[in-house]
Amino acid sequence: MLEINKCKDYQEMSDAVADKVEKQLLKKSEYCLSDNTWCDDSRFILPTGSTPIGLYKELVNRDLDWSDAITYNLDEYLDNTIHEQSYFHFMNENLFKHINIDEDNIWFPYDIAVWPDKEYGENVDLCLLGIGSNGHIAFNEPGSSFESKTRVVDLTEQTIQDNSRFFPSIDDVPTKAITMGLKPIMSSKKIILMANGKHKKDILHKALYGEITEDVPASILQTHTNVGVFYCD
Ligand code: GLP
């Protein structure tokens, strides 16, 4: 089921999603307080890109307790020469270095080998997503199987072009990445999709109301039972 929220601006969208993250962090703590025998962590899947920057800023300002949180990032470039543009660097600068998360609880898809018989980032409490201009989520490009697992992928020309704004030139953009698959993303208990800007309007509409097809990877979200969409233009 999709619950669609139009926000008046980027700040309102970032605040609204920060409320959901805060609620999830508190939910587990309250649960821990009411039950002395078992204390579970809050498990999140986190995105990069320009869209979640305001959210991360808001979360840092709220000074929340992340000591029991576990995070799995959606994706990472496969190129170890791009340190400053790596998604690990992005996450560290925008979120991790400002919060009290245990660094042993921060995971990236290249850590997949740690769980040989378990899917990376499976069954998390809350998965946050952005959407690419071609409908990709994480780096699951158009044509990705709805059954896809975490794996190495080639980026499309469109994505390389879109992401070139973060690099000195288009030739510096990595052409390969490792991405969480659509299957583990869909195993999340709750999913929040964020989209910011007029240029995302058409693809968002296609993903939310159009045909459910592997040509528009985000359209798979229509089949999930608990998706909140927050967008603004
Ligand atoms: C990249 C990331 C995606 C992200 C997308 C949108 O391709 N792999 O996870 O959703 O960019 O980025 P932006 O938020 O900058 O539009």
Side-chain angles (χ1 to χ4, degrees), residues 47-52 74-75 87 130-132 136 138-139 159 163 165-166 200:
T48 53
S50 51
T51 308
L74 281 170
D75 43 16
Y87 285 170
I131 182 169
H136 74 231
F139 272 135
T159 299
N163 291 357
R165 67 192 193 278
F166 300 113
K200 292 283 174 77

Side-chain angles (χ1 to χ4, degrees), residues 2 27-28 39 41 56 89-90 108 119 136 138 149 153 185 202 224 228:
L2 300 174
K27 193 172 148 196
K28 286 295 165 122
C39 186
D41 303 308
Y56 293 149
H89 181 81
F90 172 95
F108 272 75
E119 191 59 38
H136 74 231
K149 296 183 166 190
V153 291
I185 289 173
D202 287 351
H224 192 278

Side-chain angles (χ1 to χ4, degrees), residues 155-202:
L155 303 182
T156 60
E157 283 305 316
Q158 177 72 59
T159 299
I160 292 170
Q161 179 68 48
D162 289 350
N163 291 357
S164 64
R165 67 192 193 278
F166 300 113
F167 291 84
S169 89
I170 193 160
D171 297 332
D172 298 307
V173 186
T175 56
K176 282 184 181 294
I178 182 159
T179 185
M180 183 176 279
L182 293 169
K183 194 146 190 222
I185 289 173
M186 288 296 284
S187 76
S188 308
K189 291 173 200 149
K190 182 171 175 62
I191 297 178
I192 290 180
L193 177 70
M194 288 175 284
N196 171 37
K198 286 195 176 31
H199 62 297
K200 292 283 174 77
K201 238 178 152 176
D202 287 351

Side-chain angles (χ1 to χ4, degrees), residues 207-222:
L208 303 182
Y209 303 107
E211 186 193 346
I212 300 172
T213 163
E214 291 176 352
D215 293 338
V216 182
S219 66
I220 194 178
L221 298 175
Q222 294 180 44

